[in-house]
Amino acid sequence: MSSFAKSKLKAARDAIGKKKYEQAREAAAQVLEYEPDNYTAYVFLGLALLELGQHEKSEQLYRKAIELKDDQILAWQGIAKLHEQTQKWNDLADTLEHMMQIFAKNDDATKCAETLQKLMDILRQHGTRREVIQALYFYLPESSLYPVLSTLPPPDATNPTSTSISPTQSAIHNSLAVYEELVSLTEREEEMFIKSEFDKRRTRLGAPKPEQLKKDIGIEIWHSSKVKQPCEHSALYNDILNHPSTSDELRRATESKLVRYKHQLFLALPSTDPEKRQVGMQLDEMVHGIVTIGIPDEFAWCIWFEGKDYDTVGTEQAIKLTMITELATLEGLGPAYLKQFIELFPTSTLALMLTGYLTYNKAAYGDEESTEELTFAVDSDPYGIILDAFSALPDSLLANMITARVHLQELEYTDAIKVAESGLELVRRYESNAARELQEVRKAFHIILATSFVHLFPPKHHPRALYFLNDVLKQDPTNVDGLMGKGYVFRYAEKWEEAEVLFAQAAEQLPDDIDKGVEAKEESAWCLSRMDADAGVDALKEVFETLKDIEDRDTDKARCLWRIGRCYWDLGAFELDARESEAARRLAEGFADEREWDLVEVVARRTIDGEGGMGAGMGEGDGAASGKYLPTNAWAWKALGVVELIRRNYAESIKVFQVALRADVDDQLSWLRLGEAYSKAGRHAAALRALGRAHELQPDDWMCTYFIGEVQRQAGRLAEALISFQSILDVRPTEAGVLLSVAQTYLDLARHQRFTGFVTRAEQSFISCVNVVLVAIRESPGYRGVAWKIAADALFELSVITVFADENNVRETVTVVCEIIQDQSSARLAGLFKFTTLSPDDRVTGLNALEAAVAAYDYRITVGSSDETALPSSLYDLAVALHEWILKQPSGTTGKALEATNSFLVQALQIEPGNVRFWVALGDLHFAQKPKLSQHAYIKAIEVDTKNVVAWTKIGLLYLYHNDIDLATQAFTKAQTLDPDHTLAWIGQALIAITNGHEADARTLLEHAVSMTADVPMADLQFALRVLVTVNDSNTVRAPNTDRLLTAFFVLGRYSQRCPADACGLHIFGLICEHLGKLEQGVEYISRAITLLEAAYEEKEDPIVERQFVIAHTNIARLRLGLQDYEGSLASFENALSLLPEDAERESQILRVQAQYGSGLASFKMGDLQAAMAAFQAALESAADDLVLRGQVTVLLAQTMWAIGTPEFRESAKGLLLDCITSDPENLMAINTLAGMGILTEDDGLVDAALSEILSLPVEQRLELDPRRDVTYLLVQHYLGLGDPDKAVKIAQKALHVEPSNLQMRREVASSLLMQGERDAASAILASVALNQNIAEAKTTLALSALAQPMQSQRSAQKAIMLEPGQLRNWQTLAYVRAQESL
């Protein structure tokens, strides 16, 4: 360093000492000018600028100094001061870390400690929790600073302020506090991270269930956790556990945390992860240690309880064998563990349950040698204690096991089943989470379920019981409960031999047991008595000898004595001879009167066996047809037929009645029952034949006529059914059952009529249905529940009709219903809605009928309150009707009604959770406002019935409504797979296509949807609208549209019948009629739309309705112009103009221009030329600078002027078009119109002037401007008109060469070639068209093909006629071809 630099640096140092920072800056700067790499000068200059407030330059200079010497501390200290002043805390923390490393490198422990303390202070005040955690690791042995910091002396406890680094000394020489803080901070950090990640991810579409999501997040963080995962040398928890300063209390708390961590990680890890097994073994070892030495950690004890694979609770091998359900093995949960748990955690809920359980069972207390019984001081019934505790422990396997066992011992089979099923679900969940099987626990629950199902209303649940029994016996063939349970099943099925074997096996397992052992012996003896009465009596007597010396077994003694008596009775009783048929008949009749159908069947079959049985005594090889013999005892066959009919074995019933009729073909009752069996088997034609025969035999049997009517109704022959029922009512006018059948038939008929488009007929049928129901209610109040259901259904369906044909009839019926039930409204509808006042002058609407339906559904619940089986359906009907009413109310006014609707559906689902319709209705209710709840409901419906196409379609619509296109597509595809004819699924796919902008696909899908039979009016409207949009597209005007327009015409006809008050549908219908040339119909439909729009505007004054009103007037004016109703057209155009606002909105501008031009055209046709020109000029002014709009008006005005016919106007028309083309050279309409004028006047110059500019454009640009290829068409026609076909063909061929895929161009070239007589060339051109053409293209191609083909030309002409018989050109072609072939 030069002397100059030294002197300047000294001057800078002195100036800094005197706080003369400007002088210091100048001196340091001079040094750097002389020595650019002087470290000290950079530091002094940086410090001076820092004090002068030039922070950015100061930092740059400090950075430069650090680049020169990064191991020198001065620059780092300076930049640290800078960051502290500017409060750049993150940068300050980084700088302090560098400083610590420098001090450590220089073995300056004190400076390093001071810097570390400062870093900790900064981070605690301004840093994040994670940054504090990272800084604390500097105190630990694995830190790079530890070798230096460990040289610090221990702190002086008597004088902690003697040094400035006392906190660091304490942390280095006793790191326990550091470990504790690390654990605390890291646990808190992980807790917050899991919470924030869970909140962030749970709302994602397709997110896993909350429980699984928490596991996924836990795995992410626990795998990287420094608290619980081993660090470089050891884990923090282990460091705390192994630390010499750790207290016993801290060690227990740390062990508890470690157990909880390993338990969380164990459950979160997937079963395929090899780490899961390792973690599980570690967890087991820790928990086992805690339980073994009796550490009071309730969580660990509960883990141990839940993970034990036991089939018994609270028993030991030494306990007496009378309590078989509690028989234990050494692997079970003996009372020693339960006692210890109670002592360790006396206030816990589980301890309370265990106390009650041990008291309930009087389990032995202590070791195996103890005979002292355990007595607990309980103030109440132990059973009640167990149930109270269980309500707080629903997710505990042990609690479920104990509660299920106690319910079983109390013979509360239903409760035992519920709890055991819940326990099995917990077992499945544990096995899934832990990747371990609990075979013994599962077996124990299976035993409880099997035993409960066996004894719960036997033999109703025996099939389910057998499932569990077989599983238990497969696992444990000697299980006493399994053997006895299966024995009871066989006993009820009267399989005496199999039952006796099973009960005997159970008795062998318990030879000295006085409870189940004796029970098994008794049941074995009873089954034996059913096969061998003598042997059975001896065995039963042996059992009784055992029972008579046991106290409190009176019921068992009585049962055993009764069985002994029954055996003696059987041994001495007289057995009816199977051939004494008269006695048998009387016996069967007596049993039938008492509805003992099993006994009726026994008597009938024994009688049939007496005459040879079902085979008539003939073997299969005898050559006799056993089904064709004449029965002797026809009454037995009829009795057996009735039994099979009652048991719903319709096929067997039919066969038996057919045999009975062979004995007496004129037995009217047998024919009646045979017809009933046919009808219930779904064979309606055969049923009608049988019932018809019964009616012939006894014409006055009204029950036979009633059955005929019912079969006709079920077969869809509703008119005939009404005639049959009416014939009964003519004789028995008050027969309630018949009246209700008539009402149901009217309802079915009305639905069919409305579905097929006969809305007026449907309206009358609905009213007839309600009127008949009212008669039935008046005549027989006993059927009010069913009657009000039918009436409410009819009113609900009637409410769909928006305009009634016979308002007076509807008003009268609705009024009568309301008068009956308006004062009967229940608390369910209190405050939800009131009947709309219906005065004689008011129109009756569907809302009036809907309100009556809601009240009727509510009243049906009230009058049918005793019928619990119908309650879920009644609540569902009420909810659906109320929801429909809500949809017709103003938004924001139906909150209470919505809550009530939800409540009704929830109540219905609580009673009948497996009903798919209820879940779908719940999803519909919350479709828009609560999509997650709606999705849950639809998914539940799908879980109940995975093939329910309605649920799949509804959830697809839900996803579509909430913009999840992928899931919507999957749902609709699934629905279409399940039922390809489900209309809504196709509509859903169409809506997806619309959303994706695929209009062509949408139109195709909607066309398919409207061709189906489902009643979805909105699909009809959407299809017609898209057809109209396609036809109006200027790029497709020349394409064949008649077929699609006709389809839209018929679809809208159907729509207008179903929705006659929809102005939008009528408006579109009118526009479709316009395209088909049906202008009169178009005017009629748009006039109806205008009337509806006017009424709607008067009611709400909605500006949208007003705009629709203006558009409708504009369109009807155009149609009237086409009908030459010029005055009406002018009036409509003027109405539209008077309602248009004076704004610059694009739509208003277009409507104004159209109305002004239309007014001008109407005035022109009326001969008022001056008014016409004024209107035309106004249209041009309204178009303003809009080139497109102005160009269209100009062309239309020029065409009008040309139509006047005078030379002056024609020249003016040309001039207008030339000016238009000059201002807008790409206005194809003006160009084509001007060229057309030139062609008509044979003015080649005008044609060239009009088309030259567009022909000079590049091909791509020209095709883009001329999508319909009008220029080529005009040129071809021009040269054909001039008599130059060669030139015309050349132009067409050139255009085809540019665009070979243009089928229309190919047809024009072929047509031109045919004009020149070149049939072969034309045939070659058309041959490629025929390869890929559709039907629409074929219609326009076949006639040309017939003219071009030398062979099969007549066949092509005939095909053309078949495809389009109304086309005159096709008939002319056929005539020409035949004439040519005849030459």
Side-chain angles (χ1 to χ4, degrees):
M1 180 184 300
S2 66
S3 58
F4 172 77
K6 290 180 179 179
S7 63
K8 288 297 181 182
L9 288 175
K10 182 177 182 301
R13 184 184 300 110
D14 294 340
I16 290 172
K18 297 175 182 179
K19 298 185 179 182
K20 297 180 179 180
Y21 300 113
E22 187 62 39
Q23 294 179 9
R25 183 187 65 79
E26 293 176 359
Q30 291 174 0
V31 173
L32 290 174
E33 290 177 1
Y34 188 72
E35 292 184 8
D37 293 333
N38 191 296
Y39 174 84
T40 308
Y42 275 114
V43 173
F44 286 171
L45 183 55
L47 178 57
L49 292 176
L50 171 61
E51 297 298 337
L52 291 171
Q54 299 181 29
H55 297 147
E56 185 175 349
K57 291 183 179 180
S58 174
E59 184 174 1
Q60 293 174 358
L61 291 167
Y62 279 132
R63 294 292 180 193
K64 181 62 177 176
I66 291 170
E67 289 178 6
L68 293 173
K69 295 181 180 180
D70 63 347
D71 57 347
Q72 294 296 313
I73 198 65
L74 284 177
W76 286 108
Q77 289 174 330
I79 203 169
K81 183 178 180 181
L82 169 67
H83 289 154
E84 189 170 5
Q85 286 187 6
T86 56
Q87 297 185 356
K88 294 182 178 180
W89 307 116
N90 290 335
D91 294 337
L92 176 58
D94 293 339
T95 302
L96 292 175
E97 287 188 27
H98 281 96
M99 291 172 63
M100 288 190 298
Q101 298 297 334
I102 293 172
F103 288 133
K105 186 177 180 182
N106 295 333
D107 292 330
D108 192 341
T110 301
K111 290 291 185 182
C112 184
E114 289 175 346
T115 307
L116 177 55
Q117 288 178 188
K118 185 173 183 179
L119 174 64
M120 292 303 304
D121 292 339
I122 293 296
L123 292 178
R124 290 186 198 279
Q125 188 174 358
H126 302 289
T128 64
R129 190 183 293 107
R130 188 177 298 278
E131 290 171 341
V132 175
I133 292 170
Q134 293 173 348
L136 283 171
Y137 275 92
F138 286 125
Y139 290 113
L140 300 182
E142 57 266 27
S143 166
S144 60
L145 305 180
Y146 191 79
V148 175
L149 295 175
S150 62
T151 63
L152 293 170
D156 185 357
T158 62
N159 188 13
T161 61
S162 60
T163 65
S164 61
I165 57 172
S166 179
T168 302
Q169 290 174 291
S170 299
I172 292 297
H173 290 282
N174 185 4
S175 57
L176 181 60
V178 177
Y179 285 121
E180 287 187 81
E181 186 177 5
L182 271 172
V183 169
S184 175
L185 291 173
T186 307
E187 287 177 341
R188 180 60 179 163
E189 179 70 15
E190 291 177 1
E191 179 185 346
M192 297 303 295
F193 176 79
I194 291 174
K195 183 179 184 303
S196 63
E197 283 297 303
F198 178 78
D199 292 340
K200 185 191 307 179
R201 301 185 193 180
R202 69 185 177 87
T203 56
R204 295 176 183 172
L205 197 62
K209 294 181 178 179
E211 184 179 352
Q212 183 59 43
L213 180 58
K214 289 180 180 178
K215 290 181 181 179
D216 295 341
I217 298 171
I219 291 175
E220 292 177 15
I221 191 169
W222 294 328
H223 270 182
S224 61
S225 173
K226 290 186 177 181
V227 174
K228 298 142 187 177
Q229 288 297 311
C231 297
E232 185 178 351
H233 301 293
S234 63
L236 290 179
Y237 276 148
N238 287 333
D239 284 331
I240 294 176
L241 292 174
N242 298 328
H243 202 282
S245 301
T246 302
S247 64
D248 290 341
E249 182 181 354
L250 177 59
R251 183 171 284 105
R252 294 288 175 262
T254 304
E255 286 177 347
S256 179
K257 290 181 179 179
L258 191 55
V259 167
R260 282 160 175 76
Y261 153 67
K262 288 188 177 296
H263 184 254
Q264 286 179 325
L265 180 59
F266 176 68
L267 294 182
L269 288 170
S271 57
T272 56
D273 194 329
E275 185 182 355
K276 190 178 184 77
R277 177 179 175 81
Q278 179 183 355
V279 174
M281 292 175 63
Q282 296 172 357
L283 179 63
D284 288 344
E285 183 179 352
M286 294 183 68
V287 169
H288 182 72
I290 289 172
V291 173
T292 301
I293 63 178
I295 295 175
D297 185 346
E298 185 178 357
F299 182 77
W301 276 82
C302 289
I303 292 177
W304 187 78
F305 279 148
E306 298 296 298
K308 290 291 289 183
D309 190 15
Y310 55 87
D311 65 347
T312 57
V313 180
T315 56
E316 297 284 357
Q317 280 187 326
I319 295 179
K320 56 185 180 179
L321 296 178
T322 55
M323 302 183 68
I324 303 302
T325 58
E326 299 299 317
L327 184 63
T329 66
L330 288 174
E331 294 298 321
L333 295 179
Y337 293 113
L338 306 185
K339 168 181 173 288
Q340 191 174 11
F341 183 87
I342 295 170
E343 292 174 348
L344 289 173
F345 315 104
T347 60
S348 73
T349 306
L350 182 57
L352 182 63
M353 170 175 275
L354 294 176
T355 302
Y357 181 61
L358 293 176
T359 305
Y360 181 87
N361 275 339
K362 297 181 180 179
Y365 190 8
D367 57 27
E368 295 181 359
E369 298 177 358
S370 173
T371 59
E372 179 184 5
E373 295 211 350
L374 183 64
T375 303
F376 290 92
V378 291
D379 298 332
S380 58
D381 177 27
Y383 183 45
I385 293 174
I386 293 171
L387 297 186
D388 291 340
F390 178 67
S391 64
L393 299 168
D395 295 328
S396 169
L397 262 176
L398 180 57
N400 276 266
M401 176 69 75
I402 290 173
T403 308
R405 285 187 180 279
V406 172
H407 280 316
L408 184 62
Q409 287 176 243
E410 290 288 321
L411 306 183
E412 296 288 347
Y413 299 122
T414 303
D415 293 334
I417 290 168
K418 291 180 181 178
V419 178
E421 287 178 340
S422 174
L424 277 179
E425 179 58 33
L426 292 176
V427 171
R428 284 191 288 269
R429 191 188 309 171
Y430 179 88
E431 291 177 341
S432 174
N433 290 333
R436 300 174 179 173
E437 290 187 358
L438 297 178
Q439 293 184 353
E440 294 299 321
V441 177
R442 182 183 291 276
K443 183 184 76 174
F445 280 123
H446 281 184
I447 291 172
I448 295 171
L449 283 170
T451 306
S452 300
F453 281 130
V454 165
H455 299 292
L456 179 64
F457 301 114
K460 184 177 181 180
H461 300 287
H462 284 181
R464 296 184 68 185
L466 277 174
Y467 168 80
F468 294 109
L469 289 168
N470 291 334
D471 184 79
V472 170
L473 292 175
K474 181 179 179 181
Q475 184 178 345
D476 183 5
T478 61
N479 185 276
V480 173
D481 292 306
L483 291 169
M484 292 191 67
K486 197 167 185 179
Y488 278 119
V489 172
F490 285 146
R491 194 199 76 179
Y492 278 106
E494 297 184 359
K495 296 181 178 180
W496 305 111
E497 184 176 356
E498 293 92 333
E500 192 276 333
V501 170
L502 290 167
F503 283 126
Q505 290 179 5
E508 289 174 3
Q509 304 297 320
L510 307 169
D512 300 323
D513 182 62
I514 62 173
D515 290 319
K516 287 212 172 175
V518 173
E519 180 184 351
K521 291 176 183 177
E522 181 185 352
E523 294 299 335
S524 174
W526 173 245
C527 293
L528 180 62
S529 73
R530 299 299 88 197
M531 299 179 291
D532 184 348
D534 290 322
V537 167
D538 294 337
L540 286 169
K541 286 182 178 180
E542 182 180 343
V543 172
F544 183 75
E545 288 298 320
T546 303
L547 285 172
K548 71 179 182 179
D549 296 329
I550 304 175
E551 296 181 358
D552 299 327
R553 301 290 286 272
D554 293 341
T555 302
D556 296 334
K557 296 173 186 177
R559 182 182 61 248
C560 188
L561 287 172
W562 180 89
R563 287 176 170 177
I564 293 172
R566 175 60 187 268
C567 291
Y568 281 126
W569 175 267
D570 291 342
L571 287 170
F574 172 77
E575 188 172 283
L576 175 68
D577 192 308
R579 291 169 293 177
E580 295 182 6
S581 60
E582 181 60 25
R585 183 179 66 80
R586 293 181 179 180
L587 186 61
E589 289 175 352
F591 286 142
D593 292 338
E594 297 175 0
R595 307 189 69 81
E596 295 287 349
W597 301 113
D598 291 342
L599 298 177
V600 172
E601 181 185 17
V602 170
V603 174
R605 288 193 182 278
R606 287 182 64 81
T607 303
I608 291 172
D609 290 341
E611 62 181 45
M614 300 294 289
M618 306 295 291
E620 292 184 1
D622 294 336
S626 60
K628 297 183 179 180
Y629 77 93
L630 188 66
T632 304
N633 298 288
W635 67 265
W637 292 93
K638 290 191 288 183
L640 185 58
V642 171
V643 171
E644 298 293 358
L645 187 61
I646 291 172
R647 290 178 175 176
R648 300 183 181 181
N649 296 328
Y650 302 125
E652 289 298 319
S653 178
I654 291 169
K655 184 164 66 174
V656 171
F657 278 126
Q658 287 173 338
V659 174
L661 282 168
R662 295 193 189 108
D664 184 3
V665 294
D666 293 330
D667 184 1
Q668 190 265 352
L669 185 58
S670 294
W671 282 109
L672 182 66
R673 294 301 184 195
L674 178 62
E676 183 181 358
Y678 274 132
S679 68
K680 291 181 177 179
R683 299 170 62 178
H684 297 133
L688 287 174
R689 287 195 296 270
L691 292 170
R693 176 59 179 159
H695 185 66
E696 291 175 4
L697 294 171
Q698 192 171 338
D700 58 347
D701 183 2
W702 71 270
M703 185 58 70
C704 179
T705 307
Y706 175 77
F707 278 138
I708 292 173
E710 276 296 309
V711 174
Q712 289 169 335
R713 184 181 67 82
Q714 294 168 10
R717 297 162 64 172
L718 302 174
E720 297 177 28
L722 285 173
I723 294 173
S724 298
F725 290 137
Q726 190 58 49
S727 67
I728 301 174
L729 292 176
D730 291 341
V731 180
R732 306 172 68 92
T734 61
E735 189 65 45
V738 179
L739 286 170
L740 292 179
S741 292
V742 171
Q744 184 64 50
T745 306
Y746 271 125
L747 180 58
D748 295 341
L749 179 62
R751 286 169 172 164
H752 176 72
Q753 289 168 338
R754 187 169 66 84
F755 179 75
T756 52
F758 297 100
V759 180
T760 303
R761 296 183 189 177
E763 174 189 320
Q764 182 56 48
S765 296
F766 283 131
I767 296 300
S768 298
C769 171
V770 177
N771 290 337
V772 172
V773 167
L774 294 176
V775 173
I777 293 172
R778 185 173 61 251
E779 297 296 338
S780 179
Y783 293 92
R784 290 191 301 172
V786 177
W788 281 111
K789 158 69 173 171
I790 298 173
D793 285 345
L795 289 167
F796 183 73
E797 300 271 1
L798 181 65
S799 69
V800 178
I801 301 174
T802 53
V803 177
F804 297 119
D806 189 349
E807 283 196 20
N808 293 331
N809 198 10
V810 176
R811 182 195 309 277
E812 181 181 353
T813 302
V814 171
T815 302
V816 171
V817 172
C818 293
E819 288 175 352
I820 294 174
I821 60 180
Q822 65 181 353
D823 296 330
Q824 306 293 331
S825 181
S826 69
R828 287 179 294 272
L829 298 182
L832 298 185
F833 85 105
K834 296 181 180 179
F835 286 109
T836 302
T837 304
L838 193 60
S839 64
D841 298 329
D842 293 335
R843 285 186 57 218
V844 181
T845 65
L847 181 60
N848 300 118
L850 182 57
E851 290 175 350
V854 172
Y857 282 129
D858 177 62
Y859 190 53
R860 173 202 176 192
I861 299 175
T862 302
V863 299
S865 57
S866 60
D867 187 2
E868 294 184 359
T869 59
L871 181 58
S873 175
S874 303
L875 290 168
Y876 164 79
D877 288 338
L878 177 58
V880 171
L882 189 57
H883 182 215
E884 192 66 26
W885 178 82
I886 290 171
L887 296 177
K888 297 180 183 297
Q889 304 305 309
S891 59
T893 63
T894 57
K896 291 184 178 179
L898 199 60
E899 293 177 5
T901 305
N902 181 74
S903 174
F904 297 151
L905 287 173
V906 170
Q907 291 177 52
L909 284 168
Q910 288 173 344
I911 303 172
E912 203 172 321
N915 193 305
V916 174
R917 291 187 307 140
F918 297 176
W919 285 111
V920 171
L922 185 63
D924 293 344
L925 179 64
H926 300 293
F927 188 92
Q929 302 301 323
K930 297 181 179 179
K932 291 184 179 180
L933 179 55
S934 179
Q935 180 190 36
H936 170 75
Y938 290 141
I939 289 175
K940 288 294 293 183
I942 292 170
E943 289 176 352
V944 173
D945 182 5
T946 57
K947 296 183 178 181
N948 189 282
V949 66
V950 175
W952 280 107
T953 305
K954 290 295 183 69
I955 200 171
L957 292 172
L958 175 71
Y959 289 139
L960 178 60
Y961 182 81
H962 294 284
N963 296 320
D964 194 330
I965 305 301
D966 292 339
L967 287 178
T969 303
Q970 294 176 28
F972 288 137
T973 303
K974 178 67 174 180
Q976 289 172 311
T977 303
L978 293 172
D979 184 2
D981 293 329
H982 190 61
T983 306
L984 271 181
W986 290 94
I987 295 173
Q989 293 285 26
L991 293 175
I992 289 176
I994 293 170
T995 304
N996 292 330
H998 303 155
E999 286 294 331
D1001 294 340
R1003 189 169 58 252
T1004 302
L1005 289 166
L1006 285 171
E1007 185 172 9
H1008 180 73
V1010 300
S1011 68
M1012 296 180 175
T1013 57
D1015 184 12
V1016 188
M1018 289 309 298
D1020 296 343
L1021 184 62
Q1022 285 295 321
F1023 169 71
L1025 179 59
R1026 268 151 184 78
V1027 168
L1028 184 63
V1029 170
T1030 303
V1031 171
N1032 286 338
D1033 186 355
S1034 60
N1035 294 338
T1036 59
V1037 169
R1038 292 178 60 187
N1041 293 314
T1042 304
D1043 289 344
R1044 65 176 66 171
L1045 282 170
L1046 284 173
T1047 303
F1049 178 83
F1050 291 118
V1051 163
L1052 281 175
R1054 179 174 64 187
Y1055 178 83
S1056 63
Q1057 287 180 330
R1058 295 172 180 171
C1059 305
D1062 183 20
C1064 179
L1066 292 169
H1067 197 164
I1068 295 174
F1069 202 178
L1071 296 177
I1072 292 290
C1073 290
E1074 179 188 14
H1075 281 285
L1076 288 171
K1078 300 178 179 293
L1079 301 183
E1080 294 88 350
Q1081 281 184 263
V1083 169
E1084 177 189 350
Y1085 289 126
I1086 297 180
S1087 296
R1088 287 166 56 186
I1090 289 173
T1091 303
L1092 293 170
L1093 289 170
E1094 186 173 9
Y1097 183 75
E1098 289 177 356
E1099 181 179 353
K1100 296 183 179 179
E1101 295 188 358
D1102 188 344
I1104 296 176
V1105 175
E1106 182 183 22
R1107 177 52 55 90
Q1108 294 171 346
F1109 184 76
V1110 171
I1111 295 172
H1113 264 294
T1114 306
N1115 287 331
I1116 199 172
R1118 186 178 63 254
L1119 268 66
R1120 284 172 173 162
L1121 199 59
L1123 289 171
Q1124 299 181 8
D1125 179 10
Y1126 303 125
E1127 291 183 1
S1129 174
L1130 183 60
S1132 294
F1133 278 130
E1134 289 176 349
N1135 283 336
L1137 284 170
S1138 66
L1139 293 172
L1140 281 171
E1142 294 295 335
D1143 55 32
E1145 187 184 351
R1146 171 74 174 169
E1147 187 179 73
S1148 298
Q1149 184 184 18
I1150 293 173
L1151 288 171
R1152 184 177 295 103
V1153 170
Q1154 182 179 356
Q1156 288 169 339
Y1157 176 78
S1159 299
L1161 196 57
S1163 298
F1164 170 72
K1165 290 293 186 179
M1166 293 169 64
D1168 191 348
L1169 188 58
Q1170 182 177 0
M1173 296 308 294
F1176 292 146
Q1177 186 62 36
L1180 284 172
E1181 292 174 357
S1182 296
D1185 297 330
D1186 190 323
L1187 290 178
V1188 176
L1189 202 55
R1190 189 177 184 86
Q1192 291 178 344
V1193 173
T1194 301
V1195 171
L1196 292 171
L1197 178 57
Q1199 291 172 338
T1200 304
M1201 296 173 69
W1202 182 272
I1204 294 175
T1206 64
E1208 295 81 2
F1209 274 104
R1210 289 192 171 185
E1211 288 300 322
S1212 298
K1214 293 178 184 178
L1216 275 175
L1217 291 174
L1218 288 170
D1219 292 341
C1220 180
I1221 294 171
T1222 302
S1223 60
D1224 185 9
E1226 295 183 354
N1227 190 327
L1228 186 66
M1229 184 185 297
I1231 292 171
N1232 289 338
T1233 304
L1234 186 61
M1237 292 177 180
I1239 293 172
L1240 291 175
T1241 57
E1242 297 184 355
D1243 187 346
D1244 292 344
L1246 185 59
V1247 174
D1248 293 338
L1251 301 178
S1252 58
E1253 185 168 350
I1254 194 170
L1255 289 173
S1256 64
L1257 294 174
V1259 173
E1260 294 81 3
Q1261 187 176 354
R1262 191 178 76 196
L1263 295 179
E1264 182 180 354
L1265 287 174
D1266 185 16
R1268 298 189 306 170
R1269 313 302 181 255
D1270 289 333
V1271 172
T1272 301
Y1273 174 78
L1274 285 172
L1275 286 173
V1276 169
Q1277 297 304 315
H1278 174 55
Y1279 286 110
L1280 287 175
L1282 293 175
D1284 190 353
D1286 292 336
K1287 183 68 173 177
V1289 170
K1290 288 180 180 179
I1291 290 173
Q1293 287 176 333
K1294 183 179 179 181
L1296 182 60
H1297 178 73
V1298 171
E1299 196 177 6
S1301 62
N1302 192 318
L1303 300 182
Q1304 177 63 26
M1305 191 59 64
R1306 284 186 176 274
R1307 286 192 289 268
E1308 291 182 5
V1309 171
S1311 179
S1312 300
L1313 290 171
L1314 285 173
M1315 291 180 183
Q1316 294 182 297
E1318 300 182 20
R1319 295 180 61 183
D1320 293 340
S1323 179
I1325 291 290
L1326 293 174
S1328 60
V1329 177
L1331 295 177
N1332 299 312
Q1333 66 183 352
N1334 53 32
I1335 293 178
E1337 297 290 347
K1339 291 179 182 179
T1340 58
T1341 303
L1342 283 171
L1344 281 175
S1345 299
L1347 296 173
Q1349 292 173 344
M1351 303 292 292
Q1352 296 185 339
S1353 57
Q1354 185 172 336
R1355 183 178 179 184
S1356 296
Q1358 289 171 336
K1359 281 185 178 180
I1361 292 174
M1362 182 183 67
L1363 291 175
E1364 199 170 9
Q1367 178 60 256
L1368 178 62
R1369 181 189 60 196
N1370 294 339
W1371 292 99
Q1372 292 172 337
T1373 301
L1374 179 61
Y1376 174 80
V1377 168
R1378 284 180 175 175
Q1380 290 295 316
E1381 290 181 354
S1382 64
L1383 295 178

